[in-house]
Every structure is written in C-alpha cells, then in structure tokens.
Amino acid sequence: MQIQGNVFIITGGASGLGAATARMIAECGGHVVLADLQVDAGNNLAAELGGTFVKCDVTSGDDGIAVVEAATRMGSLRGLVNCAGVAPAEKTVGKDGPHSLDAFQRAVNINLVGTFNMARLTADAMAKTNATDQGERGVIINTASVAAYDGQIGQVAYASSKAAVVGLTLPMARDLSRHGIRVITIAPGIFETPMLLGMPQEVQDALGSMVPFPPRLGLPAEYAHLVKAIIENVMLNGETIRLDGAIRMQPK
C-alpha cells in the first residue's frame, strides 16, 4: 500500500495523535480527510495540509457517511486511522456513590462504537475499489491504549472500551480479508496529547519517568511513524501493537 496519491480518513484528526498522522500522510503525498468535532482546528489544519475537514460525531451513521463520501470524491480511499476518543476517570464506587452509567456508556459509545462505525463505513467503500497488485484494497488502523491491558484505578470505562477495540481487531481482519482490507490496532502508552500537555510540567515529567526507555512521554510523530509502517507493510494484519517504551502501568 502506497500513501502517495491515495486518500486517508483520520478521525480525531484536528489535534494530538490524529493531527500528527495527518501531517505525516500529507508529507508522504497522500490526501487527508479530517473527521473531528473541533471545527476551527480542523479547518485550519485541513487548509494547511491541502486536505478536507468534515465535522463528525463518530457515533453518528450520517456523519460517518458524509466523511466517507467526502473522501471518495477526493480519489482512491485506501485507509482509515481512528484516533477519536475520550478518557474519563471515575471509580466503580467513589466518594459520591457508584460510577455514572452515562459516563460509562459515553466512553464505550465513542471509543468502541465510534471506532466500529467509522470502520464499517470506510471498509464498505474501500471494498468497492480496485485492488493493488497484491490484492490489497485498504487498511484500517484503530487506536486502543495500554490501559486495555494495564487499566489503572479510575479507568474502568476507558480500559474496557479500549480492550474491546483490541478484541475486535482479529475478527474484523478476518471478516475483511476477502476484500483485501487489513486491520491493525495501536495501543499507545503515555503520549504528549493536548490533555497531558495541559498538566503541570512536574506531572508530565513524573509520568515520563515511569517509562523504562526512553524515559519520557511518547511523541505524536512517533505514533504517526508507526502508522506509516503499518500502511506500507502488507503483512501487518490482525494484530495489536503496543507503542509504549516497555511501560507496564501500576494500579495508580
């Protein structure tokens, strides 16, 4: 799979890991469709990269269809990178009582249902394209988290939603194999995202020091680098790759 000349959808593409991925694809000659709820940031980045921004709630079927239609108008749709997500923090039973059911459902709806919604719609469009010489039509890259394996105190909603993304990776890859579409999930560790960068510097330093090597926060460009390798290596399929500097999260 080549990036140059092909179209890629990036959910959560207006900032963080998604924005870094969009920049990488544009630098490699690809065309990006940014799907996000951040209108100003999304439009500005799309203009900078010569791409397209579509306001999108990833849990909405209609919004997802609008994104895919925008992508197919730009050329050959070859990939989806799902970066949209939320990270609530709430204990199963806290000082004020049980975990909010609405908060739990929201995390699952955005992180899991949103991932599946965009994957199913993009896969349907890619399945109708012409295959490459190796029979490949596209690639779907989802974002989980090391919390899927090492969920900390207060991460029950986040960790379970991300564990479900890990769980759908292999069966979705098997489902889509007949269409020549690969599915891979990345499970990042502690990365420089807008949420983390909003914390005090001493907190950022403390989090980075938890990583065995390199002892720092991961860079969004390093996530994008892995995305590039996945797109270009046709044998990467049906697997979740931890991108975490060998960290294993402690309970808290």
Side-chain angles (χ1 to χ4, degrees), residues 2-3 6-10 25 31-33 77-79 231:
Q2 298 298 313
I3 294 176
N6 287 320
V7 181
F8 295 83
I9 295 169
I10 305 164
I25 288 174
H31 308 293
V32 293
V33 176
L77 176 57
R78 292 299 192 188
I231 292 171

Side-chain angles (χ1 to χ4, degrees), residues 46-70:
E48 176 190 335
L49 302 180
T52 297
F53 171 75
V54 180
K55 184 180 179 181
C56 175
D57 173 352
V58 293
T59 69
S60 165
D62 289 342
D63 282 8
I65 290 170
V67 171
V68 172
E69 288 179 344

